[in-house]
Amino acid sequence: MRRKHLNDLAFVSRFLLLQLVFLLPISLSAQIEETGSLRQFLMGNEPNCAYDNWISHTVEATAEPGGHNDFMPVELDRQLNGFGNFQYIADEDAAQYEATWKQIFRAFWLDDADEVEALIDEAGYSYELVYFTDTDYNRHYRILREVLNETFVDSGYYAGPEDDVIGSFDHGWGIFILNEDAEVPWICSQVCHINDDFVAPPFAMEFFLQANLGTLAFHATSREALWNGGEFYNARSISDPSRNGNMPFQWFTEFFVDTVRAQGMMPQIYQVHSYDSDIHDYEHPVQISPGQLDDYANRPVRDLSSAHLDWVNFTPEIILPANTIAEGQDEVTVGEYYAAYHAGGLEHVASGTEISNDVSLPGYSNNQQMFAVDEGRNPYESLDGFVHFEFDELPDELQDLGWTYLDFYDGPIPPTIDNFGLFFTYYGPALDALVAYVDNFVNVPDTTAPVGPDQAAIEYASDYFVGIEWSPTADDPNFAAYEVYYDTTETIDTTSNLWSYEQDADLRGLNARSTLITDLIPLKTYGFRVRAIDFAGNSTELTPTLFVETRDTTLPEIDPHPPITSYPTGAWAPWVECRIKTIESLDEAIIESWYDGVSQPSVPLLPQQEWVPETWIRFSAYMYDSGSPPAPGTTIRYRIKLTENSYVPHIVYEPELGFHEFTVTVGEHKFEADFQFDDGGMIPSGAEDTWVWGEIETGPGQSYDGTHAWHATPQEPGSESCLELPQPLSSVGMPHAYLVFEQWYNTALNPNYAYQCYDGGIVQVSTNNGYTWQAVTPAYGYPKGFASPPYNDVGAFGGDSEGWITSVFKLNYTNDEQYLRIRFLYKTDTPIYPSEGWIIDNVRLTSHPPPPREVRSLRVSFLTGNHVRLMWSPDQADYYRIYRGTDPFQPMELLDVVSSPWYTDNLAMELPYPLVSYRVVAIFAQ
């Protein structure tokens, strides 16, 4: 046992908010103390610990049969259902658990051992705090680990006791290690898929040790231990902390992120994974990603500067000479070794090799740890917050030589770090490069200012804003931001008004080339100067001063859609489209119309794209509310009126003189078939017996509103078949052609990738009488993607619709004469997994848009200052209404109408923070 001394506070004062350290007492009571090798405690034999080979005691489970995840070979480590227990935390209990665990982590960080013990005892958790002196590195660690329950016994694969493991966990929530002597306190190395990704713990451990990182966290339960419903696949796991955030593993991550940020540092999560070699043949053995949702990869994945200080460029060209592991093994080069997600153009400079960006495993799109570290982070920062990487568990070149998992990981039983000697021979260069990257980042001082920009120009000026552009773009591996200084005075310097990333988040990006400075005063002369800064405080010189007067003398421009010459009553109401280009935003864009000698109410034209100055933006609207049209033969006149938001308002009409005229005609452009009493004339083709019309006896047991519908069922692997509408359909005069139908489906999913379906359906359209067909996307997107050629990852209706649903396709053939052929294509990949197929009912082609729909994929994240970024999945809507309020159950304020699937709220933090709520509603043209 040992007592904590005051000199141990050196790490605390470096790593935490100072005021917290001085406010909370430091425990001087005796605690558990161990001395030995941390490496051996985690993955080996360490007799000086209460128990050792921690990894062998983790909670095991397997969802076999099914081959969902490959584990360590059974001869070395058999996965045993019932070895250990995972304690699930229900949603309704999560808040209390989270509060307790974050109190524990706070006391753990502050080295308040008495408080840690008291909280653990009160909660009844079988955890203990250990002060660990590591003899390998002469470092001090604090460890929160679970106490073994020795009633759990894994008798191993062999009959004898040599591979028996005594003891596992009652909670299975993981182990958390804090490095008091960390050189890099802002990085956490972690593994969330224990057992499944069985090569991840040794790599994560060695990275933590060799790079001297701040924290190490291992979840302690297999993801097959507990899942939701039906047959297992990864997306159903609720013992997987990357999917289920109601676990101490996630709360530890959140506490780590918040604490590091409070110290003014940028937290990073390095999450290690591995993939099953049998499922992913001939892919790059090391796949690096900043997370599936990050489309702007930065260091360590990719250094956008010319310094090339990224992970790959600390690796030699020859990763493994020929015959290093086995006779006949080919030379492994850096281009064969790495792939980097969203990093096209990444080059290994020493060899001139371009690194592939073909990454099939970029990380789970809703990874909870990724969200924790990326929340509030500017995505353009030169340092990524989340790094996901995958290792091939059995490299392809060894498989080609006939090697098995057992050959590659042969060693003692139960497995220890010694089983991974060949693994580190193969992947040691990746580890060495990553450690070298971190060492360079930490220990090589940045005393060099960014290179560029050295000149700037006025892109355009208006009454209220000025666009500035510059060249060249800055060059610096630690780039922080571009800054624009401006004022109405003659001298512009760093005491002038500042415009930077707090006003324009894009200015965090090294490749930003321009910005739009807003809220200026009309008829004033402004001066502007630009510079670049890096995170070390180095900066370029300010560019020469540019002077410009804020005055808009450019009239708006209108590019009208071909005017309407006639309009059928069956497609009422008339749809008007045009393109508009302005310098300033519009105060008003309306359609004025007359018929029967009477002026009709004006209708606002709505933007279908985000407004950008001097850019053609599409506007559209129905001329009238849908309702009873005028009598056939009625002549209607209309024109478009624009009022620009200029200091001196600009008003423009189209046509400039006079009006457009059109005649109301008789006509109906709608196909409709409910399939209740006949097959609607639909034409099946392709694989025989796939599409059948008749009474629905399987699946939902009935059609949408009766007994009969069209039903497609799986056939031979690789087969596909189609169900086509009976004749080409004219869209003459239709403002929009909306295909609408009811559907039900339950098809087979890839058990390893729930976003992929083995069989499913898509909708295709032909405008050349069936010569070519093109897939069209539904208004709310396809839920899945096909798993195999020729439609790899093409969107599809697959998985479980969970009942009847209505699908809408906006076919985008407007006013021009088009004859559309429409068909439903059903593809079968494999009959191994059960599938009930696809049912189609109530098909119609109509002019009426779907009703407004609330966006369900809304994500909210904090940016700098008082900015809040809203993002959601695009769903083919024409535009979106953004609402904000303090009570989600009461009417909310309409903030804006946008056409892009994102929005930045710059005023949200003026409201009481805990009470801010948002709602986004998708609107289709109507």
Side-chain angles (χ1 to χ4, degrees), residues 5-72:
H5 300 289
L6 293 180
N7 60 6
D8 291 326
L9 290 177
F11 172 79
V12 179
S13 64
R14 182 171 71 248
F15 195 73
L16 295 172
L17 283 173
L18 293 177
Q19 61 265 35
L20 293 179
V21 174
F22 293 118
L23 287 174
L24 288 179
I26 302 302
S27 170
L28 297 178
S29 62
Q31 305 297 332
I32 298 173
E33 178 180 322
E34 293 176 348
T35 298
S37 166
L38 181 68
R39 179 182 288 115
Q40 292 299 319
F41 162 67
L42 289 171
M43 295 194 66
N45 301 296
E46 180 46 75
N48 293 320
C49 295
Y51 64 92
D52 57 15
N53 203 1
W54 179 90
I55 200 77
S56 69
H57 298 284
T58 56
V59 179
E60 298 176 350
T62 176
E64 301 290 351
H68 303 286
N69 292 287
D70 289 339
F71 305 100
M72 178 73 79

Side-chain angles (χ1 to χ4, degrees), residues 280-338:
H280 301 277
D281 284 336
Y282 298 102
E283 297 189 10
H284 291 84
V286 183
Q287 300 186 21
I288 313 169
S289 168
Q292 189 177 146
L293 300 181
D294 188 343
D295 58 359
Y296 194 82
N298 283 288
R299 291 203 295 166
V301 178
R302 182 186 181 186
D303 180 3
L304 294 173
S305 79
S306 63
H308 302 290
L309 297 177
D310 42 47
W311 182 352
V312 168
N313 276 292
F314 284 91
T315 315
E317 177 184 3
I318 306 302
I319 300 295
L320 213 64
N323 305 315
T324 301
I325 294 180
E327 188 67 30
Q329 166 241 309
D330 293 334
E331 178 182 82
V332 180
T333 65
V334 68
E336 299 164 327
Y337 197 62
Y338 288 108

Side-chain angles (χ1 to χ4, degrees), residues 174-186:
I175 189 169
F176 311 102
I177 302 175
L178 176 63
N179 181 2
E180 298 180 8
D181 303 315
E183 187 177 18
V184 195
W186 61 85

Side-chain angles (χ1 to χ4, degrees), residues 34-49 51-57 132-139 141 143 145 175 177 201-212 216 218 414-421 424 431-432 435:
E34 293 176 348
T35 298
S37 166
L38 181 68
R39 179 182 288 115
Q40 292 299 319
F41 162 67
L42 289 171
M43 295 194 66
N45 301 296
E46 180 46 75
N48 293 320
C49 295
Y51 64 92
D52 57 15
N53 203 1
W54 179 90
I55 200 77
S56 69
H57 298 284
F132 195 99
T133 299
D134 183 20
T135 53
D136 291 340
Y137 289 91
N138 192 28
R139 295 180 193 147
Y141 302 105
I143 303 175
R145 73 184 182 199
I175 189 169
I177 302 175
F203 191 97
M205 176 184 70
E206 290 299 326
F207 177 43
F208 169 77
L209 291 170
Q210 295 184 33
N212 200 5
L216 177 68
F218 289 163
T416 69
I417 190 66
D418 294 335
N419 293 75
F420 292 88
F424 279 112
L431 175 63
D432 293 343
V435 172

